[in-house]
Amino acid sequence: MENKDDIKKELDELAPFLSQLKKKDSGFEAPANYFNNLPDTIMDRIKAEEEPQVLRSPAHSLLDRIKDSLQQLLQPSYPLALASVAILVVAIFLLNPFSQERNSNISLAEVPDEVIADYVYENVDEFEMDLLIEVIDESAIEEQLQDDQQLDQYYMDEILEDLSDEELESLM
């Protein structure tokens, strides 16, 4: 008991507002005679559900029916919302200016030769050999071979100039 008193005093010191709040009951309390009247209440509800209910629609004029139809069309519904979202998504993809720029056709003549050559050089394994042979410019190959031969001759001359007569004799 002492412990409870100590706790109460400490609560009064730390939080006076909380200590003044009333303790609430355990929460739930049934109304008087609730369980005595419960079977009768349940039976009354069951009988009310079993009785056929006659729905009589009031006489509607043509104007009232049109008005009701329009109100039903204007009420939000899930299929209508889904269809609206689908139309919106399709419209965004079709009317997106960025997608038109990506899909625009660029003729091969507009692409610089260096870009094409770099692409072919980097992806030469993906091309068929017959296709590469057909598009090879023979005059360009001959020019490249001549350039290579001249370069080889230049390097040979440089090497020979650097070697002394004794080293040349030893090599022969």
Side-chain angles (χ1 to χ4, degrees):
M1 283 304 213
E2 266 181 48
N3 193 15
K4 287 184 181 181
D5 292 336
D6 291 339
I7 293 172
K8 178 99 171 111
K9 285 179 187 178
E10 186 177 346
L11 184 60
D12 286 339
E13 292 172 7
L14 295 176
F17 178 74
L18 288 177
S19 66
Q20 292 175 359
L21 290 176
K22 291 183 180 179
K23 287 187 177 179
K24 293 188 177 185
D25 294 333
S26 63
F28 300 104
E29 187 175 312
N33 295 326
Y34 176 77
F35 291 105
N36 291 336
N37 297 333
L38 184 63
D40 295 332
T41 306
I42 293 174
M43 288 306 290
D44 291 341
R45 285 187 185 171
I46 291 174
K47 287 178 184 176
E49 286 179 7
E50 288 177 355
E51 291 178 6
Q53 296 178 354
V54 178
L55 296 176
R56 294 183 184 173
S57 62
H60 287 290
S61 68
L62 180 62
L63 186 60
D64 289 337
R65 283 189 247 154
I66 292 173
K67 183 178 125 185
D68 290 342
S69 299
L70 285 176
Q71 284 180 343
Q72 285 179 348
L73 284 176
L74 296 177
Q75 294 295 321
S77 65
Y78 292 113
L80 193 59
L82 183 62
S84 301
V85 169
I87 289 171
L88 183 64
V89 168
V90 169
I92 287 173
F93 280 115
L94 290 179
L95 300 176
N96 189 356
F98 297 113
S99 67
Q100 291 173 356
E101 288 176 10
R102 283 189 306 242
N103 295 332
S104 64
N105 293 331
I106 298 174
S107 68
L108 197 55
E110 296 175 11
V111 178
D113 291 339
E114 295 87 25
V115 173
I116 294 172
D118 289 342
Y119 176 79
V120 170
Y121 181 73
E122 290 174 5
N123 300 303
V124 73
D125 296 336
E126 296 178 17
F127 293 100
E128 293 181 20
M129 187 57 71
D130 296 337
L131 180 64
L132 291 175
I133 291 172
E134 287 177 16
V135 296
I136 291 177
D137 185 13
E138 291 180 17
S139 62
I141 292 175
E142 288 176 14
E143 288 177 20
Q144 185 66 37
L145 285 174
Q146 289 175 358
D147 290 344
D148 289 348
Q149 287 174 354
Q150 289 174 357
L151 192 59
D152 289 345
Q153 185 64 38
Y154 172 76
Y155 286 132
M156 279 296 240
D157 291 341
E158 288 290 320
I159 292 172
L160 288 175
E161 285 179 14
D162 289 342
L163 291 175
S164 65
D165 292 337
E166 297 161 357
E167 289 174 337
L168 284 173
E169 285 180 14
S170 67
L171 287 175
M172 293 205 177

